[in-house]
């Protein structure tokens, strides 16, 4: 294992790294190892395994009055967490104390859920309260497991650690200034005492004391905020892969781990669904200048992927080629749009009103057509929304193609380098693949294009091989 000594580090363990007693032990052993080397550590825990999904299913079952399903999920949650406590906390006395609190949290959850069952409704506020049980349980079990291994550990709920947020339940935004000050005030003394602070990921608290959640995958954001407040040397996001890859290894076996990315590149990758990354978490660390590393709990000696403020030139222009499936392309054509200010705005507004996210946009300079990419499952709704927004008398043709995929080529080295686009499209053309739509942000970090779905994998291979990204 790397000899990292005397640093201030924040470790965040994702759900898969905490699924079951053995994995919790494994994670605790990593914490113990690095803490014995003289590092000062803060740990952020996600909920165990798929607990958050189970809590969401529990909520729906309660709201819709499906009592048996509700009981089944509650029973499963109880046995998962009690089993984890028994298996991960060795010391008899500590184990009993740990179990007592786990039982009492589970009982609270039962009470709250039965309230929702009888009312047949929940509010965003009560939903967040229910979701918070996942992280509160896992973090408490983790704390007790560390203690029973002889590591001094103190349990913190997000709000107690200084994560104060607005009251947009479900996707709350941390109040940055306050957070940074409070985090330092609350956690620095713990580190000075030589203890490990163990903090619930994903949840915060409004100034008047209500529990909020930071959006799915929000534990990453908790970790980078804590790192920022404490001025940590690095934040390590422990997950179940060796790092971010040059492409999906299921597409191409030669895919490699990318050793280093800039924040901008990593955000591009996160948007395209790279595993183990929350875009807002990176934004927070971008402004705070904190180094973030993605590490594999199942292969801790691998260096992982390091994300820093700027790209270290590794001699390659392109760092990753990604494929986004399950999308649809909508094209709106019509001469009425030409030179008419606001036509693009109207289309986008209609989609925003319908709650539909636009993944990619392209408009030709003639303005006679605009193409958009949206999630495939939302395509029909998107078409409807655009149709409804059309003024009477306007002639517009709306086409929707559902058998498409987006290929995204990411790399900061492409910036200002002539010929990248021609090489990318040349590689694709050599395989006889037709490109349907193209978009490149003026940041030049990313070239995205659309092909027929059946050509997606081949297009990725063509570029990956042409740039020699593979092993
Ligand atoms: N448990 C939450 C989720 O599954 C938060 C996280 O894992 O980061 O989304
Ligand atoms: Mg999770």
């Amino acid at each position: 294992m790397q000899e990292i000594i005397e640093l201030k580090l924040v470790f965040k363990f994702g759900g898969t790294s905490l699924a079951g007693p053995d994995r919790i032990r494994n994670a605790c052993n990593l914490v113990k190892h690095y803490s014995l080397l003289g590092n000062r550590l803060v740990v952020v825990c996600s909920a165990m395994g798929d607990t958050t999904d189970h809590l969401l299913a529990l909520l729906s079952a309660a709201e819709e009055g499906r009592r048996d399903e509700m009981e089944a999920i509650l029973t499963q949650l109880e046995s998962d967490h009690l089993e984890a406590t028994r298996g991960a906390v060795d010391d008899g006395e500590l184990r009993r104390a740990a179990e007592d609190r786990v039982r009492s949290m589970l009982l609270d959850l039962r009470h709250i859920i039965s309230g929702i069952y009888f009312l047949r409704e929940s509010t965003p506020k009560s939903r967040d309260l229910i979701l918070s049980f996942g992280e509160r349980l896992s973090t408490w079990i983790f704390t007790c497991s560390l203690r029973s291994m002889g590591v001094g550990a103190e349990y913190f709920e997000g709000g107690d650690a200084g994560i104060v947020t607005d009251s947009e339940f479900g996707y709350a935004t941390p109040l940055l200034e306050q957070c940074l000050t409070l985090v330092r005030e609350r956690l620095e003394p713990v580190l000075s005492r030589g203890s490990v602070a163990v903090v619930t990921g994903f949840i915060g608290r409004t100034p008047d004391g209500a529990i909020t959640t930071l959006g799915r995958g929000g534990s990453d954001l908790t970790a980078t905020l804590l790192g920022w407040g404490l001025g940590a040397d690095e934040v390590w996001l422990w997950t179940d892969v060796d790092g971010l890859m040059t492409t999906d290894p299921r597409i191409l076996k030669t895919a490699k781990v990318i050793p280093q990315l800039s924040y901008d590149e990593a955000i591009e990758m996160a948007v395209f669904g790279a595993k183990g990354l929350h875009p807002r978490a990176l934004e927070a660390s971008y402004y705070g200048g904190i180094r973030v590393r993605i590490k594999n709990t199942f292969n801790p000696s691998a260096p992982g992927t390091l994300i820093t403020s700027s790209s270290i030139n590794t001699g390659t222009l392109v760092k990753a080629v990604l494929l986004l499936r399950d999308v649809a392309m909508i094209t709106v054509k019509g001469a009425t749009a030409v030179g008419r200010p606001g036509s693009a705005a109207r289309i986008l507004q209609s989609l925003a009103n319908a709650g539909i996210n636009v993944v990619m946009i392209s408009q030709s300079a003639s303005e006679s057509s605009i193409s958009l990419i949206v999630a495939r499952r939302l395509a029909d709704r998107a078409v409807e929304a655009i149709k409804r927004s059309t003024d009477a008398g306007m002639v517009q043709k709306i086409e929707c193609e559902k058998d498409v995929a987006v290929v995204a080529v990411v790399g900061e080295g492409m910036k200002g380098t002539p010929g990248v686009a021609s090489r990318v499209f040349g590689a694709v053309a050599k395989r006889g693949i037709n490109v349907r739509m193209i978009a490149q942000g003026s940041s030049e970090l990313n070239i995205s294009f659309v092909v027929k779905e059946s050509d997606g994998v081949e297009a990725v291979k063509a570029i990956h091989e042409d740039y020699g990204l593979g092993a």
Side-chain angles (χ1 to χ4, degrees):
M1 214 134 17
Q2 295 151 278
E3 294 304 288
I4 306 273
I5 50 168
E6 289 175 13
L7 297 181
K8 198 192 277 182
L9 300 171
V10 177
F11 283 6
K12 174 253 166 180
F13 293 101
T16 37
S17 304
L18 300 174
D22 299 338
R23 294 191 182 177
I24 294 177
R25 269 172 190 283
N26 179 46
C28 285
N29 274 318
L30 288 168
V31 172
K32 183 172 180 180
H33 171 87
Y34 284 101
S35 133
L36 286 177
L37 287 170
N39 300 292
R40 282 162 300 155
L41 293 184
V42 172
V43 175
V44 173
C45 297
S46 288
M48 286 174 57
D50 296 326
T51 301
T52 307
D53 292 326
H54 297 153
L55 288 167
L56 285 168
L58 176 64
L59 254 160
S60 316
E63 275 173 337
E64 289 155 27
R66 283 174 279 141
R67 174 134 223 167
D68 292 347
E69 191 185 333
M70 189 179 112
E71 270 308 319
I73 300 171
L74 275 171
T75 308
Q76 186 66 49
L77 285 169
E78 284 163 357
S79 69
D80 285 350
H81 288 91
L82 286 168
E83 191 196 314
T85 314
R86 290 185 201 117
V89 187
D90 287 333
D91 178 273
E93 206 170 313
L94 277 171
R95 185 169 60 233
R96 271 184 298 279
E99 262 188 85
D100 283 348
R101 180 141 168 205
V102 167
R103 279 184 204 286
S104 110
M105 282 198 243
L106 289 166
L107 196 61
D108 287 349
L109 175 63
R110 251 183 195 278
H111 289 314
I112 300 167
I113 273 294
S114 76
I116 288 176
Y117 170 78
F118 285 114
L119 293 169
R120 297 286 197 276
E121 70 180 9
S122 69
T123 60
K125 188 173 173 182
S126 57
R127 293 174 81 85
D128 274 4
L129 177 61
I130 287 167
L131 290 184
S132 76
F133 278 90
E135 270 70 11
R136 282 153 67 203
L137 285 160
S138 65
T139 304
W140 172 245
I141 298 169
F142 200 98
T143 309
C144 295
S145 179
L146 274 179
R147 285 181 188 158
S148 99
M149 289 181 181
V151 179
E154 297 179 35
Y155 170 91
F156 284 85
E157 208 171 89
D160 295 327
I163 308 292
V164 191
T165 71
D166 65 10
S167 47
E168 200 196 312
F169 296 100
Y171 203 76
T173 301
L175 308 174
L176 195 57
E177 296 289 312
Q178 279 189 53
C179 279
L180 297 181
T181 320
L182 280 174
V183 164
R184 178 174 289 268
E185 265 174 37
R186 303 278 167 83
L187 299 187
E188 200 63 69
V190 181
L191 300 185
S192 309
R193 282 198 283 279
S195 292
V196 175
V198 192
V199 184
T200 59
F202 182 49
I203 63 182
R205 197 182 292 156
T206 62
D208 54 8
I211 287 187
T212 51
T213 63
L214 308 176
R216 294 307 305 267
S219 303
D220 291 348
L221 179 54
T222 307
T224 53
L225 274 175
L226 298 184
W228 190 355
L230 289 165
D233 294 288
E234 285 190 10
V235 174
W236 292 7
L237 306 177
W238 290 94
T239 174
D240 56 353
V241 292
D242 277 344
L244 298 180
M245 312 277 295
T246 53
T247 193
D248 184 342
R250 284 166 303 184
I251 295 182
L252 213 56
K253 283 196 194 65
T254 58
K256 275 195 313 202
V257 171
I258 307 169
Q260 191 274 338
L261 287 165
S262 69
Y263 291 123
D264 292 327
E265 290 169 332
I267 285 170
E268 296 284 334
M269 308 260 313
V271 171
F272 278 89
K275 213 171 170 184
L277 268 181
H278 184 284
R280 267 168 74 193
L282 290 175
E283 242 169 70
S285 63
Y286 177 77
Y287 296 108
I290 304 291
R291 295 152 67 92
V292 175
R293 197 183 284 275
I294 309 217
K295 296 270 291 178
N296 188 349
T297 19
F298 305 108
N299 183 18
S301 55
T305 297
L306 176 67
I307 301 166
T308 52
S309 55
S310 55
S311 191
I312 297 166
N313 191 357
T314 50
T316 115
L317 300 179
V318 169
K319 287 202 175 160
V321 190
L322 309 164
L323 183 63
L324 193 62
R325 300 179 216 247
D326 301 319
V327 292
M329 177 166 72
I330 297 173
T331 306
V332 186
K333 292 181 185 162
T336 355
V338 179
R340 186 171 190 256
S343 12
R346 207 192 51 250
I347 294 173
L348 294 174
Q349 188 62 52
S350 68
L351 294 175
N353 293 346
I356 297 169
N357 187 41
V358 178
V359 178
M360 191 175 152
I361 308 173
S362 145
Q363 185 188 267
S364 59
S366 77
E367 302 174 45
S368 66
S369 88
I370 176 165
S371 298
L372 309 156
I373 297 288
V374 298
R376 193 173 296 161
R377 65 190 166 82
L378 301 177
D380 295 331
R381 269 177 52 203
V383 170
E384 281 311 308
I386 298 171
K387 272 189 190 147
R388 271 198 309 274
S389 74
T390 308
D391 300 343
M394 251 185 95
V395 189
Q396 264 190 170
K397 200 170 152 216
I398 306 177
E399 284 166 7
C400 177
E401 289 170 63
K402 292 186 179 164
D403 56 341
V404 296
V406 177
V407 178
V409 185
V410 176
E412 219 163 52
M414 302 193 291
K415 199 181 292 179
T417 309
V420 177
S422 88
R423 183 162 165 195
V424 164
F425 293 116
V428 173
K430 262 186 235 146
R431 310 237 174 153
I433 298 170
N434 187 32
V435 173
R436 303 293 319 281
M437 167 183 171
I438 302 175
Q440 179 182 12
S442 57
S443 66
E444 297 182 54
L445 281 172
N446 175 330
I447 299 178
S448 301
F449 60 92
V450 176
V451 295
K452 275 245 171 289
E453 182 161 45
S454 52
D455 287 333
V457 165
E458 197 57 28
V460 169
K461 282 186 183 162
I463 301 164
H464 200 269
E465 278 162 21
D466 195 74
Y467 276 96
L469 298 183

